[in-house]
Amino acid sequence: MTNEELWQKTLNEIKFEISNANFITWFQNTIVTDKTDQKIAVGVPNAFVKEWIEFKYQKQILKVIRGFLPEIRSIEFSILPKLSQKIPAQIEKKSRPQEQQEMPELSIDKDTNLNPRYTFENFVVGSFNELAHAAGQAIMNNLGSVYNPFFVYGGVGLGKTHLLQAIGNEVKKRDPQIKVKYISSEKFTNEFIYALQNNEINYFKEKYRIIDLLIIDDIQFISKKIQTQEEIFHTFNTLYENNKQIVLSSDRAPKLIEGLEERLRSRFEGGMIADISEPEYEARLAILHTKKKEKNLLINDDMLEYIAASIKSNIRELEGALNLIAVRLNVQKTPPALNDIKDILAKHIQPRKIVTAKQIIHAVSKFYNTQERFLIEKTRRRDIVRPRQIAMYLLREDFNGSYPYIGQKLGGRDHTTAIHSYEKISRDIKKDKQLQEEIKQIRLNFYYAQEA
Ligand code: ADP
Ligand code: MG
């Protein structure tokens, strides 16, 4: 068996074990470069792939290879930059013709409300969503018995709906008998109110309490809706007691949903909570590659790189930009120039929502469970010092406040205090994961503040 044959056979097996999107992202353009008695050397196109393959797939690869050559003990990965140039040719050759056609407009299942377009096959996993993805897998393998509920949170357009629906679709695919229902919390509320008004409340209760896997998307919208919360609480308990799985999503962590009853909050926090953060550059690029393939677009890799570098925080926008380019391509029939793409993006990328100083201060005090006036007044209470520094940091970063203004606004201090705070938090944030997470959560709260 030549090295090439060995690797081909290995890849053929791996392909069945992982999703298509991940296979393309991590295994295209890898080769076996050398083989000794006990060791295999594998070449990969760049450092990012190397790190990921080593971290995530090394064991799996070794297991498959040892199925062919039991004497192999280890794999060594090395970077061969020339491999990256092969990407387009290989992807094109390997995809079958029907895969290259546009995805047909598949309809939403009336019974489950699931949209078949959301699958794990086309869900790219990177460190930004890895935990949520892994937890989702664990849920599916142990429906109702390990993490209940499963609560996913993250900002707009980061893939919560995609993940939730992929879970539903996969569960249904594995066992069509399992009763799955996907619903947004808004739709749940509407149905509930309709049932109340039309004397159908028993029917409504029955309908939701016989479900095996209940998925409620965007649960933050039940904020301040007392009656809906009451109903969800009872539905939740019935399902929970019968070991039925509940999966929820929200744009923020449970403790930051305003107007949520305490008993519901503690239920939501009682299972597994996983967040999805903003995708890093490599993940954005991998997503664009997947979508390009899905949509069968003729667009150069350097343009995808440009898009991935320009749109930083939102997968929906990445996709939107690609769709606009697709439309343009349809009209022009020639691949766009980089300048066309820059034009399209300039018109498309949404500026960040504008935030006020008041919102920042409110969000910080809320997050640290303290009163706004303590931040604003001159107190030197020790438990206030840190939140106040963080508020100062955010006023500088996100509001662009001048140092004198910030000093004035918080504790009536002079600008050197503001500078000192800003610099301290800027330094700390680089090494303190916990702080990073806290600041992210505070930002979520003011950028996506709920309308009352
Ligand atoms: P959210 O519900 O968090 O607002 P969505 O699930 O609607 O976000 O995702 C927005 C778009 O981005 C969808 O078209 C979805 O298919 C796509 N998307 C999100 N995450 C991924 C991912 N990890 N891989 C591929 N596509 C993704
Ligand atoms: Mg959504």
Side-chain angles (χ1 to χ4, degrees), residues 118 154-162 164 182 217-218 220 249 316:
Y118 296 113
V156 176
L158 295 180
K160 302 182 297 292
T161 297
H162 191 138
L164 262 52
Y182 167 91
D217 205 353
D218 288 317
Q220 75 272 9
S249 87
R316 189 172 297 148

Side-chain angles (χ1 to χ4, degrees), residues 245-436:
Q245 182 70 45
I246 301 148
V247 175
L248 305 163
S249 87
S250 161
D251 67 347
R252 67 200 67 195
K255 78 166 183 160
L256 293 175
I257 303 176
E258 284 181 42
L260 182 66
E261 275 184 53
E262 201 42 50
R263 56 181 188 169
L264 258 189
R265 185 193 319 279
S266 68
R267 286 288 190 286
F268 290 173
E269 287 172 344
M272 166 64 138
I273 302 187
D275 75 322
I276 301 184
S277 55
E278 292 177 357
E280 62 275 25
Y281 172 77
E282 285 78 4
R284 299 201 295 274
L285 192 57
I287 288 168
L288 287 172
H289 273 290
T290 316
K291 306 271 175 205
K292 166 186 158 175
K293 198 166 160 263
E294 246 172 53
K295 297 175 204 291
N296 195 23
L297 292 180
L298 278 171
I299 172 171
N300 295 338
D301 286 357
D302 56 342
M303 300 196 183
L304 293 186
E305 281 165 24
Y306 182 82
I307 301 172
S310 310
I311 299 180
K312 299 208 172 72
S313 60
N314 187 319
I315 299 171
R316 189 172 297 148
E317 279 187 21
L318 275 181
E319 214 177 356
L322 215 54
N323 284 337
L324 284 178
I325 289 162
V327 169
R328 178 75 67 97
L329 276 168
N330 256 337
V331 179
Q332 290 184 340
K333 302 284 179 209
T334 50
L338 189 55
N339 269 339
D340 296 338
I341 297 208
K342 285 186 183 169
D343 262 7
I344 294 175
L345 291 186
K347 294 201 190 89
H348 184 70
I349 299 174
Q350 285 174 5
R352 252 196 159 177
K353 191 181 149 189
I354 295 165
V355 62
T356 63
K358 198 168 160 229
Q359 285 169 324
I360 292 178
I361 295 167
H362 176 73
V364 171
S365 64
K366 188 163 162 12
F367 186 84
Y368 293 105
N369 258 326
T370 168
Q371 292 179 32
E372 275 174 56
R373 63 184 180 86
F374 291 146
L375 294 178
I376 293 165
E377 285 166 6
K378 234 187 166 87
T379 88
R380 284 178 191 278
R381 286 175 42 170
R382 294 192 73 209
D383 58 329
I384 293 302
V385 172
R386 185 77 168 170
R388 190 187 274 138
Q389 284 175 343
I390 288 170
M392 287 183 165
Y393 169 83
L394 285 168
L395 281 174
R396 182 72 189 167
E397 278 280 300
D398 294 49
F399 177 71
N400 250 330
S402 71
Y403 289 123
Y405 170 86
I406 295 172
Q408 248 319 300
K409 189 91 191 160
L410 295 175
R413 283 137 201 287
D414 76 28
H415 69 282
T416 53
T417 315
I419 294 175
H420 169 79
S421 301
Y422 175 75
E423 287 177 348
K424 170 141 185 31
I425 299 295
S426 302
R427 265 196 317 277
D428 290 355
I429 204 171
K430 293 208 178 87
K431 44 188 196 296
D432 185 344
K433 275 247 147 63
Q434 166 82 20
L435 180 63
Q436 283 167 21

Side-chain angles (χ1 to χ4, degrees), residues 12-146:
N12 284 344
E13 299 235 333
I14 302 267
K15 208 172 184 167
F16 282 108
E17 292 174 9
I18 69 179
S19 80
N20 202 22
N22 278 323
F23 184 78
I24 288 173
T25 311
W26 309 117
F27 288 92
Q28 289 283 341
N29 304 306
T30 53
I31 56 171
V32 166
T33 53
D34 197 17
K35 186 175 80 196
T36 58
D37 286 350
Q38 300 192 339
K39 198 151 89 186
I40 295 272
V42 173
V44 300
N46 57 52
F48 181 63
V49 171
K50 177 169 184 278
E51 201 173 281
W52 264 75
I53 283 204
E54 277 174 349
F55 175 62
K56 286 202 48 153
Y57 298 114
Q58 184 154 9
K59 270 201 196 136
Q60 209 171 343
I61 300 170
L62 190 60
K63 206 171 128 204
V64 174
I65 287 186
R66 294 184 60 165
F68 304 120
L69 301 173
E71 68 273 22
I72 299 295
R73 295 261 168 273
S74 65
I75 315 178
E76 197 175 83
F77 295 92
S78 59
I79 301 165
L80 294 177
K82 68 171 174 73
L83 287 174
S84 59
Q85 281 144 27
K86 279 168 51 192
I87 288 178
Q90 278 214 0
I91 289 185
E92 249 122 63
K93 202 165 68 216
K94 281 199 179 149
S95 51
R96 274 173 271 125
Q98 63 262 40
E99 278 180 359
Q100 287 182 348
Q101 267 148 33
E102 279 266 273
M103 271 232 270
E105 212 24 59
L106 296 161
S107 51
I108 291 168
D109 185 291
K110 282 201 188 60
D111 191 32
T112 60
N113 297 329
L114 290 168
N115 182 336
R117 110 175 169 83
Y118 296 113
T119 64
F120 281 109
E121 288 296 300
N122 56 13
F123 190 74
V124 174
V125 183
S127 54
F128 72 107
N129 62 5
E130 193 181 16
L131 174 64
H133 175 263
Q137 301 287 334
I139 300 293
M140 292 190 303
N141 295 331
N142 307 278
L143 223 50
S145 59
V146 276

